[in-house]
Amino acid sequence: MADLTTFTSVFDNNDTIKEEEQQHTQGREAAANILLVDMAPAASSATSIHRSSSRPQLDLSGAAIQGNIEERDPTILLPNQSDDISHLALDIGGSLIKLVYFSRHEDRPTDDKRKKSLKERLGVSNGTRRSYPILGGRLHFVKFETRKVNECLDFIYSKQLHRGGIDPRGWSSETQVNENAIIKATGGGAYKFADMFKERLGVSIEKEDEMDCLVAGANFLLKAIRHEAFTHMEGQKKFVQIDQNDLFPYLLVNVGSGVSMIKVDGDGKFERVSGTNVGGGTYWGLGRLLTKCKSFDELLELSQRGDNKEVDMLVGDIYGGMDYAKIGLSASTIASSFGKTISENKELEDYRPEDISLSLLRMISYNIGQIAYLNALRFGLKRIFFGGFFIRGHAYTMDTISFAVHFWSKGDAKAMFLRHEGFLGALGAFMSYEKHGLDDLMAHQFVERFPMGAPCVGGKIHGPPLGDLSDKISWMEKFVQKGTEIIAPVPMAPPGTTGLGGFERPSSKGETLRSDDAALNVGVLHLIPTLEVFPLLADPKTYEPNTIDLSDHSELEYWFTVLSEHLPDLVDKAVASEGGTDDARRRGDAFARAFSAHLARLMEEPAAYGKLGLANLLELREECLREFQFLDAYRTIKQRENEASLAVLPDLLMELDSMSEESRLLTLIEGVLAANIFDWGSRACVELYHKGTIIEIYRMSRKKMQRPWRVDYFDAFRERMLGSGGNKPVPHKRALLFVDNSGADVILGMLPLARELLRRGTEVVLVANSLPALNDVTAIELPEIVAEAAKHCDVLRKAAEAGGLLMDAMINIQDASRDDSSSVPLMVVENGCGSPCIDLRQVSSELAAAAKDADLIILEGMGRALHTNYNARFRCDTLKLAMVKNQRLAEKLVKGNIYDCVCRYEPAS
């Protein structure tokens, strides 16, 4: 298939990776996710949130990394840093402790001469230029009940977050803690528990203003997370893309015990303009008195089974079941909350607690929504964001607030909610550290992942945040699935901790994994400073990679079925790739359970992880494989197919060279389409492998190439390449070839096409995956493939030399030392992805640099050219090539059949 949306964190749990895999990842520079980059000047003091002057700036001079990429949370040594660096902040409320912490990725040093040469040639910088350094890594979100504060302290201690998240192997219980060490916190508990933090962890709490933190946290989320804001009307969740350049002003409504309404005009510029004392505390307090519920969650659960008509007086009750149409009130409109109880001769015990809870919820939610809209109207604000403990992702609460805003604004305004709304304060406190470099990060530099075991209660799939891979597998082995309900026992707490740290204990009603965030999941935010927006997109703001709309339930169900049916074969390949050992089989089974659990969760609530597209599903599968340490499930298969294809390449090149220019161009495109049939992600294609060898299938496929193809723009492409009427066109300056599968696809399809472009004087950049996905070729594998192919072709050899591809190849190529500076270069860059599709809003910095001088893009394969980017438009000539290997996709996208061919040429926009 192809490559997917974003670059990944390489390995979250990688304590037992084999030496063979360590060698396999050598030189993959973009796979190392901690980068020390120069950054743009920070916002001026007049517009930025207040920073504590007591916090020292980071001194990264002489910084060095200790350990290697296979270590869990490797240590970064800062020899000139005189003070501990904190990567932890908290919001300690009356009910919950919200904790945000940062874990660092490692930047693996490399001696790869080819990559160094490539960076010099392309002028690659380490991401966006800034005036101070930033550490790449991950932002984690964890919640604890405040009454279980000791569990929070255990969690912090077990991860050594109060010491900057250092590798626990580098310290002992006798290690002295810096007496001046501080952590930032907001909320009332920052005062209440300050002595406890000092006593247990030896750190001081530096209190941050709650309102400052709320606003800073909201601004950060709305700028940095693409699918953060959403609307919720009549049970339907719809994500809203916020343009960070047009974010301000907006109204932030924080619904805690009471309600604060804050007009936000910019970073650090805000004013509390209103509020009400009728909020979450009112709901919980009155609900407790009226229903005897012992918790907020219990009260919310009651409301889901309630009928407010038994308690509320409706317009229809006053007008004999009729609407009051003159003023636009339907018969079901609430005229008076709890008003019906006035005229009924009943006592409190005669009313159902469920009905009381729902009536109370609607009364308070409507009130908050109405007051919020009136304040937005007062200041001319169109955007209203709601957050706070009261909402907590509860569908009925959001629907009620949304209805109120819609009703009073007559549809002119919409209520919007935030996926991370419970963490606004904690994020703001985290942002208050000086010079952490997160203030002006862009959305494309954050990638959200949902590992099984993400350290956050935020949906129905989550697990223990502590422990190694073996602990995770043990937990997964106990997983069972019953219908749509996912059940698991409480995992064993690892040594050194008494708490579960964000993994909620099963309720008294059974062992169902419950969430205090209802249908919302919060993942781990991977910060990758070198990700950039692909510069050749015609309009990045309107760009949407996914071509399959999974909001259609039948469409969603179909693709879930496809992925589920492919799962056993994928597990077999993954286990075989590591020798079929018992350990590999155990990890393979755990992967299957994890991915199946994710699919079950998403089938129940497709928007639980944000906006869902087919690319996201394929990406999630690859992430699950890596989570259980299957780094390249198709490694052996790829090697075998590469060897078979390289063996017949010389004959193919001789055949091509005997043709006329026009015949050769058509044959080359036919060859790309025929070779693209080899795709281990397609069930139909897997069945073909049982009917012949890779070369037999390739030849059979080429023989069946008959025009016109299902989508056939070849004539337009031929005219651009060869000209017409005797006029020879100017060759393209640089072509980006997004390659797909290993074996015949790249060797017999794309390499001969690249060779033709090189002969015409066009620089060629082969763009491949940064990380393995199915049988896709990777950027680390391509140089050796090109070096082998160059043994049989002088054009490829000279271009590979010019592009630096033979510098590190351990292959003896005759006369390879001869300098031929006149040859145009053949280069290889990684795309920043590790999946069968690609989201061009998040590509590697070296691909972005290579694209700046490119005037031709060739997207090949279903993942890159059909699943994603089929409708994308570019500022240069584009050719999209693929063989359709899924009947559903054929019908939906090209109105055709399986094995139809797509050749779509589009001149520069």
Side-chain angles (χ1 to χ4, degrees):
M1 287 172 72
D3 339 334
L4 173 49
T5 58
T6 53
F7 188 33
T8 74
S9 95
V10 190
F11 320 109
D12 273 320
N13 298 296
N14 42 13
D15 299 316
T16 60
I17 295 179
K18 299 176 181 178
E19 181 64 23
E20 177 185 353
E21 292 157 347
Q22 294 177 9
Q23 295 170 355
H24 181 72
T25 56
Q26 285 284 351
R28 184 158 49 214
E29 191 169 285
N33 291 338
I34 195 178
L35 296 132
L36 304 181
V37 265
D38 297 329
M39 311 180 103
S44 67
S45 58
T47 59
S48 61
I49 192 169
H50 168 71
R51 308 292 183 200
S52 169
S53 59
S54 65
R55 192 67 191 156
Q57 296 185 11
L58 302 186
D59 184 352
L60 283 99
S61 58
I65 298 168
Q66 187 179 54
N68 60 49
I69 199 166
E70 317 308 335
E71 292 183 352
R72 184 187 180 92
D73 298 328
T75 303
I76 298 173
L77 301 179
L78 303 175
N80 299 318
Q81 180 65 37
S82 60
D83 207 287
D84 290 331
I85 303 167
S86 181
H87 294 278
L88 164 70
L90 304 100
D91 179 2
I92 311 176
S95 305
L96 292 175
I97 298 174
K98 283 78 67 177
L99 185 150
V100 174
Y101 72 92
F102 183 74
S103 63
R104 294 165 292 197
H105 290 322
E106 177 187 2
D107 187 16
R108 169 186 284 273
T110 176
D111 295 324
D112 189 338
K113 297 177 183 177
R114 178 190 61 81
K115 290 188 71 66
K116 291 179 180 178
S117 173
L118 178 70
K119 286 193 171 187
E120 291 174 2
R121 177 183 294 275
L122 298 178
V124 178
S125 63
N126 287 328
T128 307
R129 305 296 295 176
R130 299 170 187 264
S131 62
Y132 53 90
I134 186 173
L135 298 176
R138 303 183 290 270
L139 275 177
H140 305 259
F141 304 86
V142 189
K143 288 182 184 177
F144 300 88
E145 291 183 58
T146 304
R147 63 189 178 90
K148 298 177 182 178
V149 63
N150 284 322
E151 291 184 4
C152 178
L153 293 169
D154 289 340
F155 179 80
I156 293 171
Y157 183 81
S158 68
K159 284 190 171 291
Q160 290 294 289
L161 300 179
H162 58 307
R163 304 188 190 202
I166 64 173
D167 189 332
R169 287 167 289 189
W171 60 273
S172 65
S173 57
E174 288 78 27
T175 303
Q176 293 294 316
V177 177
N178 188 332
E179 293 182 359
N180 298 321
I182 63 167
I183 57 176
K184 296 294 187 86
T186 189
Y191 299 87
K192 182 177 180 180
F193 298 109
D195 291 342
M196 184 180 292
F197 274 77
K198 187 68 174 179
E199 180 181 340
R200 289 282 306 277
L201 302 177
V203 297
S204 299
I205 286 183
E206 184 167 312
K207 292 87 173 175
E208 293 292 321
D209 180 75
E210 259 186 280
M211 209 68 71
D212 284 350
C213 291
L214 282 173
V215 173
N219 286 346
F220 169 77
L221 290 170
L222 290 169
K223 288 181 179 181
I225 312 303
R226 180 170 290 113
H227 297 144
E228 179 62 30
F230 62 93
T231 60
H232 204 289
M233 286 285 286
E234 298 179 350
Q236 296 299 311
K237 188 184 301 174
K238 183 178 180 181
F239 288 91
V240 179
Q241 183 58 45
I242 305 295
D243 183 353
Q244 67 171 6
N245 296 316
D246 188 33
L247 172 60
F248 307 111
Y250 67 84
L251 187 69
L252 177 62
V253 181
N254 189 61
V255 190
S257 298
V259 182
S260 288
M261 300 189 184
I262 308 161
K263 178 175 176 282
V264 183
D265 294 305
D267 291 318
K269 296 180 180 179
F270 62 87
E271 177 187 2
R272 186 181 187 275
V273 294
S274 187
T276 172
N277 58 350
V278 178
T282 312
Y283 177 58
W284 193 349
L286 281 176
R288 183 172 179 273
L289 292 174
L290 295 173
T291 68
K292 308 303 180 186
C293 283
K294 294 182 172 60
S295 73
F296 193 91
D297 283 329
E298 187 180 353
L299 195 61
L300 279 179
E301 288 175 11
L302 276 181
S303 71
Q304 293 178 293
R305 303 190 299 272
D307 182 356
N308 69 299
K309 294 195 301 291
E310 299 299 316
V311 180
D312 293 340
M313 181 184 293
L314 309 181
V315 168
D317 295 327
I318 300 174
Y319 289 92
M322 303 291 289
D323 295 340
Y324 191 174
K326 184 177 181 179
I327 58 174
L329 297 179
S330 68
S332 61
T333 301
I334 299 174
S336 175
S337 294
F338 290 91
K340 190 171 287 186
T341 64
I342 300 171
S343 57
E344 294 180 337
N345 188 22
K346 292 181 180 180
E347 299 300 325
L348 177 60
E349 55 270 18
D350 296 324
Y351 291 96
R352 295 173 67 237
E354 293 89 341
D355 301 337
I356 292 174
S357 177
L358 180 58
S359 176
L360 188 60
L361 178 64
R362 294 188 71 168
M363 179 184 78
I364 293 171
S365 298
Y366 279 144
N367 186 58
I368 293 170
Q370 181 180 10
I371 296 174
Y373 167 67
L374 292 175
N375 276 281
L377 181 65
R378 173 186 169 199
F379 293 102
L381 306 176
K382 292 295 185 181
R383 296 190 183 93
I384 310 174
F385 296 102
F386 291 83
F389 174 70
F390 175 68
I391 296 170
R392 309 171 68 190
H394 188 247
Y396 198 90
T397 306
M398 293 188 290
D399 268 355
T400 307
I401 290 174
S402 296
F403 179 85
V405 172
H406 184 270
F407 177 84
W408 290 107
S409 71
K410 294 181 171 59
D412 287 342
K414 290 183 179 179
M416 289 184 281
F417 306 91
L418 304 175
R419 291 181 55 244
H420 293 78
E421 55 91 2
F423 292 94
L424 297 186
L427 268 170
F430 186 87
M431 298 292 291
S432 69
Y433 286 111
E434 283 197 26
K435 298 298 183 186
H436 51 55
L438 296 180
D439 302 74
D440 53 351
L441 288 171
M442 308 291 284
H444 58 263
Q445 294 173 316
F446 279 95
V447 182
E448 189 170 19
R449 302 295 184 205
F450 297 90
M452 188 64 62
C456 172
V457 177
K460 293 188 178 179
I461 297 181
H462 51 86
L466 305 177
D468 58 19
L469 180 63
S470 181
D471 292 333
K472 178 177 287 190
I473 292 174
S474 297
W475 180 70
M476 287 304 307
E477 286 172 339
K478 298 171 186 176
F479 236 83
V480 293
Q481 191 170 337
K482 296 180 179 179
T484 59
E485 194 173 77
I486 298 170
I487 296 174
V490 176
M492 294 297 293
T497 176
T498 60
L500 298 173
F503 180 79
E504 186 173 344
R505 298 177 187 275
S507 68
S508 59
K509 296 180 181 179
E511 292 188 320
T512 302
L513 292 181
R514 297 175 59 251
S515 164
D516 65 346
D517 278 318
L520 285 176
N521 276 64
V522 176
V524 177
L525 295 180
H526 293 260
L527 166 59
I528 309 165
T530 52
L531 288 182
E532 298 186 31
V533 178
F534 189 60
L536 293 178
L537 286 173
D539 186 0
K541 290 184 179 179
T542 61
Y543 168 76
E544 170 54 51
N546 290 290
T547 55
I548 303 296
D549 183 8
L550 294 187
S551 61
D552 180 343
H553 187 77
S554 63
E555 194 74 31
L556 184 68
E557 191 171 15
Y558 170 80
W559 288 103
F560 277 16
T561 301
V562 169
L563 291 174
S564 297
E565 289 177 349
H566 183 251
L567 193 55
D569 183 69
L570 179 57
V571 171
D572 288 343
K573 295 293 187 299
V575 173
S577 73
E578 302 200 1
T581 63
D582 290 342
D583 172 68
R585 172 57 60 184
R586 188 166 173 246
R587 286 186 284 118
D589 290 342
F591 154 71
R593 290 189 182 96
F595 186 55
S596 296
H598 278 302
L599 290 181
R601 174 72 191 96
L602 289 169
M603 195 65 195
E604 180 185 356
E605 175 54 57
Y609 297 176
K611 188 176 181 180
L612 184 65
L614 181 57
N616 305 106
L617 285 179
L618 298 175
E619 180 182 37
L620 181 61
R621 180 180 62 186
E622 300 304 323
E623 282 298 309
C624 280
L625 278 170
R626 295 186 190 100
E627 186 178 356
F628 291 94
Q629 295 183 0
F630 291 106
L631 306 185
D632 193 350
Y634 287 79
R635 177 173 49 210
T636 304
I637 291 172
K638 290 193 294 183
Q639 291 172 348
R640 184 173 66 244
E641 293 183 353
N642 287 340
E643 290 172 2
S645 300
L646 285 165
V648 300
L649 177 63
D651 291 340
L652 174 62
L653 297 182
M654 287 181 62
E655 177 187 351
L656 290 167
D657 288 344
S658 68
M659 297 178 178
S660 67
E661 190 176 43
E662 187 165 335
S663 296
R664 185 167 63 243
L665 185 62
L666 176 59
T667 302
L668 285 166
I669 298 302
E670 288 177 340
V672 171
L673 294 171
N676 189 236
I677 196 172
F678 298 100
D679 191 336
W680 282 91
S682 165
R683 179 162 296 280
C685 295
V686 170
E687 292 173 358
L688 282 178
Y689 287 98
H690 301 299
K691 300 176 181 178
T693 67
I694 183 173
I695 302 305
E696 289 171 342
I697 297 169
Y698 168 69
R699 286 174 178 158
M700 175 197 70
S701 180
R702 274 191 65 184
K703 287 178 181 179
K704 292 185 177 181
M705 289 285 120
Q706 292 184 0
R707 295 185 63 201
W709 301 312
R710 175 57 60 179
V711 177
D712 192 340
Y713 294 12
F714 173 76
D715 291 340
F717 179 66
R718 179 186 57 200
E719 184 173 333
R720 170 61 185 88
M721 294 294 291
L722 306 181
S724 62
N727 296 321
K728 284 286 185 180
V730 177
H732 291 98
K733 180 181 179 182
R734 177 182 292 170
L736 304 180
L737 276 60
F738 287 75
V739 297
D740 190 8
N741 306 305
S742 295
D745 198 353
V746 66
I747 295 169
L748 304 183
M750 292 297 277
L751 269 184
L753 180 58
R755 176 177 177 258
E756 183 70 15
L757 291 166
L758 290 166
R759 292 169 72 168
R760 294 174 180 276
T762 300
E763 295 182 357
V764 174
V765 179
L766 300 176
V767 184
N769 266 14
S770 297
L771 297 174
L774 293 176
N775 61 318
D776 288 0
V777 69
T778 64
I780 197 173
E781 296 164 340
L782 263 179
E784 185 173 345
I785 291 173
V786 171
E788 284 287 353
K791 290 181 177 180
H792 312 291
C793 175
D794 197 48
V795 173
L796 289 177
R797 180 186 63 78
K798 292 178 180 179
E801 286 179 2
L805 291 181
L806 303 185
M807 288 182 175
D808 298 292
M810 303 301 292
I811 297 172
N812 180 27
I813 296 181
Q814 188 175 8
D815 203 21
S817 61
R818 185 179 64 193
D819 180 41
D820 191 338
S821 57
S822 63
S823 179
V824 291
L826 172 64
M827 298 169 278
V828 171
V829 302
E830 53 192 340
N831 57 23
C833 304
S835 178
C837 300
I838 186 168
D839 183 342
L840 293 172
R841 292 169 300 199
Q842 295 177 302
V843 302
S844 71
S845 57
E846 64 180 50
L847 172 53
K852 290 174 182 175
D853 291 324
D855 50 3
L856 174 64
I857 295 171
I858 300 179
L859 288 162
E860 184 235 359
M862 280 210 309
R864 294 160 186 80
L866 298 183
H867 289 152
T868 55
N869 300 305
Y870 186 68
N871 299 317
R873 295 292 177 265
F874 300 90
R875 294 191 291 105
C876 67
D877 293 349
T878 307
L879 181 65
K880 300 170 184 177
L881 299 170
M883 177 179 284
V884 185
K885 290 155 285 188
N886 177 277
Q887 183 61 44
R888 182 82 162 213
L889 187 68
E891 294 169 357
K892 291 282 186 180
L893 202 59
V894 297
K895 306 290 188 293
N897 299 298
I898 193 168
Y899 302 133
D900 276 341
C901 292
V902 173
C903 175
R904 187 175 184 177
Y905 173 68
E906 297 159 342
S909 297

